[in-house]
Amino acid sequence: MGELKDAEIVIVGGGAIGCAVAFRLAEAGRSDVLLIEKEPALASVTTAQAAGLVGQVRSSVDRVRLAMDSVATFAQLERGPGPTPSWRQVGSLRIALTDARVDEFGALIESCRGAGLKVELLDHAAAEARWAGLVAASAKAILWCPSDGYLQPYDLAMAYQARARAEGVRFATGVRVTGIAIRNGEVTGVE
């Protein structure tokens, strides 16, 4: 268990998202932060079960930019020092088997271009060259994003945690939140 005492900012939940919030707060210079996790270890429930696929192709420019920022962060963390997220930038293929999905690809491509994300439509041969097991004959369109990839979610949480801890963020595991104090519609404490 980490040190429990008052903190300016309390994060409840020590999975990848909670650890990412701690990391970003530390990056922003906020060190009076306490992350509380009810389990005995961080990232031991849903984060440990996640697939770790990272795709940036989204339906709005803002969502694409957010995903691009995540990929940039994963690449930064992979360069170290300390624990890394095991980030692998291998690209992704999306396959349209219907005309409706082809139309959807058009809208996705526009969002990606608006955000500055490189994507392209591939012909069958180019797609099969990228994935040897693919038989693309029935595909009506194939969308390639070269900067997509995958990581290990548990490793990502540990990379976030190590960097946040180095900046003074405290972590307490095995601690269950029993209540949230609210006064005049604002959170004033965590019990």
Side-chain angles (χ1 to χ4, degrees):
M1 179 183 346
E3 182 181 351
L4 286 176
K5 64 178 185 176
D6 287 347
E8 179 185 4
I9 299 168
V10 176
I11 301 165
V12 178
I17 299 298
C19 291
V21 171
F23 167 73
R24 290 297 190 184
L25 287 168
E27 268 192 329
R30 307 298 290 267
S31 60
D32 189 14
V33 178
L34 171 64
L35 182 145
I36 298 171
E37 169 56 47
K38 69 180 177 180
E39 299 299 327
L42 297 174
S44 60
V45 184
T46 48
T47 293
Q49 299 170 21
L53 301 175
V54 179
Q56 301 163 92
V57 177
R58 299 285 187 260
S59 59
S60 73
V61 170
D62 289 336
R63 290 183 68 212
V64 172
R65 286 184 180 144
L66 179 61
M68 291 171 69
D69 181 65
S70 295
V71 165
T73 299
F74 304 153
Q76 169 197 343
L77 292 171
E78 190 61 33
R79 290 189 292 273
T84 68
S86 303
W87 169 244
R88 301 296 177 261
Q89 187 171 315
V90 296
S92 71
L93 295 170
R94 292 173 187 253
I95 299 171
L97 298 175
T98 66
D99 291 333
R101 186 74 168 141
V102 172
D103 292 343
E104 186 180 330
F105 279 10
L108 292 171
I109 290 168
E110 287 306 310
S111 293
C112 291
R113 287 186 179 146
L117 178 66
K118 181 183 176 186
V119 294
E120 64 180 294
L121 291 171
L122 299 180
D123 62 26
H124 293 156
E128 289 173 352
R130 284 180 172 76
W131 180 18
L134 177 64
V135 177
S138 61
K140 293 184 177 234
I142 303 168
L143 182 60
W144 165 248
C145 181
S147 57
D148 282 350
Y150 66 94
L151 49 69
Q152 298 301 318
Y154 177 83
D155 293 352
L156 174 63
M158 294 303 100
Y160 282 143
Q161 183 262 356
R163 284 155 182 85
R165 186 182 294 279
E167 297 300 320
V169 174
R170 292 173 288 130
F171 293 80
T173 57
V175 177
R176 188 172 294 277
V177 171
T178 59
I180 305 288
I182 299 175
R183 184 179 326 133
N184 298 325
E186 293 184 13
V187 174
T188 58
V190 178
E191 301 166 7

